[in-house]
Amino acid sequence: KEMFGYSSMADRLCAGIDLHTQMASRLLGITYEVAKANKGRPDVKHARNLAKAVNFGFGGGMGAARFVVQAKKSYGLIFTEDEARAYKKLYMEENPEMWEFFDHVASLTSSGQGLVETPGSQMLRLVHGKGAYPAGCNQHFQGPVAFGACEALFYVSWECYVDKGTALYGSRPQFFIHDEIVTAH
């Protein structure tokens, strides 16, 4: 909302909508409520897995050809470029603000490099080379998540080492993998 004055994605997140389940419902042609109530059903589970690839891939600025390769590599999903273009069309219908977002990132990276600000941080990242555009797109999604993860690690560490009144006191962080903090006592 900060960048363009509106965000369908932000509105849905604030309303408690699971974006992957919502996209899965669109892919299956069923209502969000039916998909949400049947997350364990094989067809819904498969569609939700595809929805993750759609939401993360197209949100990261991928085109159809790259999306087909990445979806197979990361999710084990196989489909054609024509199917990928249809998925992108659905993604853009769900998230119309992304047209402006992609134009914005393209304007920052059109020379093959650019400075992209991580939302909410005032931190700039230089993106350059062949991957400047997707790196610029991803910075808006992955950057805030990375800051949040680091902040969470700080608070867990504080409770492990400093705050004697918590259940974590005396434990030690052992691993920080993607979005999981593993501690040992």
Side-chain angles (χ1 to χ4, degrees):
K1 285 187 173 187
E2 293 174 15
M3 292 181 77
F4 308 113
Y6 74 101
S7 173
S8 172
M9 188 183 301
D11 290 344
R12 291 187 321 249
L13 287 169
C14 289
I17 301 291
D18 176 330
L19 299 180
H20 302 319
T21 301
Q22 185 175 44
M23 179 58 72
S25 73
R26 293 275 319 263
L27 293 168
L28 292 170
I30 60 177
T31 67
Y32 172 74
E33 292 73 24
V34 169
K36 184 177 174 183
N38 293 285
K39 272 188 181 178
R41 207 170 73 191
D43 62 330
V44 175
K45 214 172 183 177
H46 175 75
R48 193 169 184 283
N49 194 38
L50 173 56
K52 288 180 183 181
V54 167
N55 289 335
F56 294 141
F58 293 126
M62 282 187 195
R66 180 71 184 133
F67 178 74
V68 167
V69 171
Q70 193 63 34
K72 181 178 181 183
K73 179 181 171 186
S74 297
Y75 298 91
L77 300 169
I78 299 171
F79 42 81
T80 67
E81 285 185 35
D82 285 341
E83 290 169 315
R85 282 188 276 281
Y87 298 147
K88 185 169 186 173
K89 182 178 182 217
L90 279 176
Y91 176 80
M92 297 304 286
E93 288 172 3
E94 289 287 316
N95 306 291
E97 66 272 19
M98 296 305 286
W99 291 111
E100 291 179 73
F101 173 71
F102 292 146
D103 287 346
H104 170 71
V105 174
S107 74
L108 294 175
T109 60
S110 62
S111 67
Q113 69 176 15
L115 288 174
V116 179
E117 183 176 346
T118 300
S121 72
Q122 297 179 342
M123 177 183 252
L124 296 175
R125 176 180 175 205
L126 175 64
V127 294
H128 54 88
K130 186 178 176 184
Y133 175 75
C137 290
N138 278 316
Q139 187 65 22
H140 286 80
F141 294 100
Q142 294 174 343
V145 172
F147 282 111
C150 287
E151 188 173 356
L153 181 59
F154 170 82
Y155 285 111
V156 166
S157 297
W158 181 269
E159 290 191 13
C160 288
Y161 290 94
V162 178
D163 190 348
K164 294 178 182 179
T166 71
L168 288 175
Y169 185 75
S171 296
R172 300 294 179 250
Q174 301 293 308
F175 305 101
F176 181 58
I177 304 167
H178 185 60
D179 60 356
E180 298 177 47
I181 301 169
V182 178
T183 64
H185 197 69

